[in-house]
Amino acid sequence: MRHKFHLLWLLISLECSSSQKPTSPMTAATVNCSNCDSNASCEEHGDLHRCVCREGFTGDGATCFDIDECSHTDLNRCHSLAICINNQGNYSCSCPKGYKGDGYHCEATTGFAEDCVGINGSRSCVDPCLSHTVLEQSWRSMSYGSGSNCDSDKIGWYRFVGRGGTRMPETCVPKRRCNTFAPMWLNGSHPTSDTGIVNRIACANWEGACCYWSIPVQVKACVGGYYVYKLDGTPTCTLSYCTDPKYIDNPCPQCNTEEECRLENGEWGCYCSTGYPSSDISSLEPQLECGANEIKVSLEKCILNQMGIHNAVVYLRDYKCAGFEEKQNRTMISVVTHTQSGQCGTQLTKNETHATYSNTLYLADGTVTREDEIKINFHCSYPLDMEISLETAIQPIVSSVNISTGAAGVFLVKMALYRDQNYTSPYEGAKAILSTEDWLYVGVMITEGDTSQFVLQMDNCFATPTENATDPLKYYIIQNRCPNTQDSTIEVPENGVGPQGQFSLQVFKFVGNHNLVYLHCEIRLCDTSTETCKPSCSKIGSRRAAEVRVDTYSLTLGPLFQRGFPSEAGSAAASHALQGACVTVLIPATMSLFLHSFT
């Protein structure tokens, strides 16, 4: 019975505690709305209070921004002809001159802007700026040639649009233009926007008379800068209403800075400016862009036109590398070659400091010529660094691995063997001959991928006598991102601070019956936004056990074949004591590459 009582008390206690309403953390935080914007109000919702932007503003209540109701017709109730004026938190509408109303509804003043007709005894009035038919045929241009069009069916209000022109010409048009025999033009000036509908005469040129035929038309200037015309067919056929191509809405939006928009042969087009400076072949200089992966040489089309070259054909030493036209702020004729020896006939020369790529640009006018092509030699020089020297080397000793990081993309990492401490002379070919008096210089670098977020980190670099990176016989050069302090010849100039890493040490061999050496590097991409990538190393202390990381990748160079060492080598500590012996380092054309997934 005692147990039943305790159980009943427990149930009652739970029921009572669950019936209590918890206090919302929002109530205390927002009860006084002290953080409301000046354009917001504090609204009560039960026990909760929150800031709400007033009408005409938008935001989270703590910050409110004015809504520009005039930026889009869906945000205001202004009449389509009215002028919308945005104010802080609201807007106003006003009817233009010639109209009456409150801005939300505008009506034309009688006789000013509406066309009224009688239908079944009642009078119906419509603003032709809002109700008309669009004519967009480019052949209506007065620059267009002869044709057989007839506008006898054009009865009503019309608006001209398109590349042919947006308004009728006000001067006599020569016959057999506008795709017709007798072109029609407006005998009178166009009205201004405050004069409403005006009466004019349309004339047709024929038999030497500019107004051989005539017919009344009405014209109205609309809000927005365009015109509408009330046409009543034509007096006879074949007659067409013409447009003036001088009046057109931005007919050449594609023109560049050195070009001007002109009407030639009835068509608008981009042509080199008449004031463009003249040039001759002796002063012709191409625009050269020396990029990391490609070289582009370009010539301005307008300069070539000034020289009389209107159908430019350009190509490099390899004629298959031909030019193409591109438009940016200027129209250029360009040709591209990769920064690689042999591409498009490109030649590579190197000295101790620079790699230079050179080629020749050939220029002709048309695909057939009876004169020698114009030849322009060009070159790009690049200061040698670890990566560029590797790219310019012939059959370099290199190993590589692709690393995919998901959203950041794919990275290409390479490891190579260099001859010098500047890391600008990579070993080339199938073998390298060294002695124990020489040094090994190893460079690891990110050659492809966005390095704005990642740096290269060498976690562990070591040597083994076999190709197996897990061989128990290892000699650590870098361990846990720090150099082996037991070997005074080891130097690590760069690690975990940029897109490349470097280390060097004096040549050695494994003690015993081992004539091969493989170099391995476990590397990773370190995210500078979330990690401390630069290692903190102390030269005091013994080697630590190598850490195991799941995001580590392995690169391997080898084998390095050694010969000339005496068979009775000393202890492991004496691996650097054999001075003067020769080492032949043989690197096969196909490098060993391992990708490890460590657990």
Side-chain angles (χ1 to χ4, degrees):
M1 185 67 182
R2 183 184 307 167
H3 297 293
K4 292 182 179 179
F5 174 78
H6 284 301
L7 179 59
L8 179 61
W9 180 87
L10 178 61
L11 291 173
I12 295 173
S13 299
L14 289 174
E15 182 179 356
C16 293
S17 62
S18 64
S19 65
Q20 294 176 355
K21 183 181 292 186
T23 301
S24 171
M26 286 187 61
T27 304
T30 62
V31 66
N32 55 8
C33 292
S34 59
N35 62 338
C36 288
D37 188 89
S38 59
N39 292 312
S41 59
C42 184
E43 294 187 0
E44 181 178 353
H45 296 270
D47 292 339
L48 301 179
H49 295 73
R50 62 188 181 96
C51 302
V52 179
C53 292
R54 295 190 178 95
E55 184 178 358
F57 295 89
T58 183
D60 58 5
T63 305
C64 297
F65 304 94
D66 174 58
I67 298 174
D68 184 0
E69 292 87 355
C70 297
S71 63
H72 197 278
T73 56
D74 292 342
L75 300 177
N76 66 78
R77 296 186 296 107
C78 293
H79 189 266
S80 58
L81 291 175
I83 300 171
C84 181
I85 302 172
N86 183 63
N87 303 308
Q88 279 291 104
N90 53 49
Y91 66 96
S92 60
C93 309
S94 62
C95 296
K97 186 174 182 180
Y99 294 83
K100 61 182 180 179
D102 57 4
Y104 299 100
H105 180 74
C106 299
E107 294 180 354
T109 304
T110 303
F112 172 75
E114 289 187 338
D115 182 39
C116 301
V117 295
I119 301 177
N120 297 326
S122 62
R123 190 166 180 266
S124 176
C125 299
V126 178
D127 185 350
C129 290
L130 301 178
S131 179
H132 55 258
T133 302
V134 172
L135 299 176
E136 55 181 348
Q137 300 92 346
S138 59
W139 48 255
R140 291 189 178 277
S141 168
M142 57 187 289
S143 297
Y144 197 88
S146 180
S148 58
N149 180 69
C150 181
D151 280 339
S152 60
D153 60 339
K154 298 299 182 287
I155 300 174
W157 284 95
Y158 294 88
R159 175 187 175 184
F160 300 106
V161 299
R163 296 177 61 84
T166 59
R167 55 187 284 183
M168 290 182 64
E170 297 177 351
T171 56
C172 183
V173 179
K175 64 180 182 179
R176 299 186 184 278
R177 297 287 182 89
C178 311
N179 194 35
T180 192
F181 293 160
M184 301 192 69
W185 55 281
L186 190 67
N187 190 357
S189 62
H190 282 77
T192 57
S193 59
D194 59 349
T195 54
I197 298 173
V198 297
N199 296 313
R200 295 288 187 264
I201 296 294
C203 290
N205 182 13
W206 193 249
E207 295 294 338
C210 279
C211 207
Y212 188 88
W213 289 289
S214 65
I215 191 171
V217 298
Q218 290 183 308
V219 187
K220 181 189 176 184
C222 299
V223 176
Y226 62 92
Y227 297 91
V228 289
Y229 303 83
K230 187 177 183 181
L231 310 179
D232 194 19
T234 58
T236 185
C237 281
T238 302
L239 283 71
S240 287
Y241 290 94
C242 292
T243 55
D244 189 339
K246 292 186 299 183
Y247 299 96
I248 186 172
D249 297 329
N250 193 15
C252 307
Q254 73 277 18
C255 289
N256 301 131
T257 54
E258 83 280 14
E259 298 173 327
E260 62 183 14
C261 183
R262 291 203 304 267
L263 182 69
E264 292 190 3
N265 299 322
E267 289 289 334
W268 288 98
C270 299
Y271 301 92
C272 295
S273 301
T274 53
Y276 210 76
S278 60
S279 181
D280 53 34
I281 295 176
S282 62
S283 62
L284 185 61
E285 293 185 3
Q287 177 179 306
L288 188 62
E289 297 181 24
C290 299
N293 300 312
E294 64 180 24
I295 298 171
K296 182 167 73 173
V297 57
S298 306
L299 297 168
E300 287 191 40
K301 186 176 180 180
C302 283
I303 290 181
L304 297 178
N305 288 348
Q306 291 290 343
M307 295 170 51
I309 300 176
H310 298 283
N311 186 22
V313 176
V314 298
Y315 55 94
L316 300 181
R317 286 177 185 150
D318 184 345
Y319 69 90
K320 293 189 293 294
C321 298
F324 58 93
E325 183 174 309
E326 61 177 345
K327 289 190 176 184
Q328 297 174 359
N329 64 325
R330 295 180 182 274
T331 301
M332 312 294 289
I333 307 297
S334 303
V335 64
V336 173
T337 176
H338 292 287
T339 50
Q340 185 176 349
S341 179
Q343 289 286 329
C344 297
T346 300
Q347 297 178 347
L348 170 66
T349 57
K350 289 195 298 184
N351 57 26
E352 295 181 355
T353 60
H354 287 77
T356 300
Y357 296 92
S358 60
N359 208 319
T360 301
L361 176 72
Y362 293 84
L363 169 64
D365 188 12
T367 57
V368 176
T369 181
R370 288 184 170 85
E371 300 178 357
D372 291 338
E373 300 100 321
I374 301 171
K375 300 178 183 179
I376 304 174
N377 296 320
F378 65 92
H379 69 272
C380 286
S381 294
Y382 299 85
L384 286 177
D385 59 19
M386 193 165 73
E387 181 179 350
I388 292 178
S389 62
L390 188 63
E391 293 177 353
T392 58
I394 301 174
Q395 195 181 349
I397 299 172
V398 64
S399 176
S400 61
V401 63
N402 285 308
I403 301 176
S404 178
T405 59
V410 178
F411 293 77
L412 178 62
V413 181
K414 294 182 179 180
M415 182 168 75
L417 185 64
Y418 293 84
R419 298 175 180 271
D420 64 328
Q421 62 183 357
N422 295 322
Y423 296 85
T424 57
S425 298
Y427 277 97
E428 300 174 303
K431 62 181 179 179
I433 300 177
L434 301 170
S435 74
T436 52
E437 294 178 348
D438 293 326
W439 294 70
L440 289 172
Y441 297 94
V442 180
V444 187
M445 69 215 80
I446 303 173
T447 59
E448 293 181 16
D450 182 7
T451 57
S452 60
Q453 181 180 350
F454 296 95
V455 297
L456 182 75
Q457 193 176 78
M458 298 182 295
D459 277 7
N460 300 292
C461 295
F462 53 92
T464 62
T466 67
E467 152 178 78
N468 185 5
T470 62
D471 192 304
L473 184 55
K474 292 182 179 179
Y475 187 70
Y476 275 97
I477 304 166
I478 296 174
Q479 190 171 14
N480 291 334
R481 300 171 295 285
C482 295
N484 178 5
T485 58
Q486 301 296 314
D487 190 336
S488 61
T489 70
I490 295 176
E491 295 286 342
V492 183
E494 189 172 353
N495 187 19
V497 295
Q500 63 185 29
Q502 300 168 343
F503 68 85
S504 64
L505 74 161
Q506 196 170 3
V507 173
F508 67 91
K509 75 176 291 290
F510 282 99
V511 173
N513 190 23
H514 301 293
N515 292 323
L516 302 179
V517 172
Y518 289 83
L519 294 177
H520 311 271
C521 258
E522 296 168 356
I523 57 96
R524 62 186 294 270
L525 300 181
C526 185
D527 189 343
T528 57
S529 64
T530 59
E531 304 175 77
T532 301
C533 300
K534 183 178 181 181
S536 177
C537 301
S538 173
K539 294 185 178 181
I540 302 175
S542 59
R543 282 196 320 234
R544 298 165 293 175
E547 295 180 3
V548 177
R549 295 180 179 234
V550 296
D551 57 348
T552 303
Y553 297 81
S554 181
L555 291 160
T556 297
L557 283 176
L560 281 66
F561 180 73
Q562 305 177 20
R563 67 184 179 187
F565 283 94
S567 59
E568 61 278 7
S571 64
S575 60
H576 298 297
L578 302 174
Q579 302 295 325
C582 292
V583 180
T584 301
V585 184
L586 297 179
I587 309 296
T590 302
M591 306 305 304
S592 301
L593 174 62
F594 302 97
L595 175 62
H596 295 288
S597 178
F598 294 88
T599 57

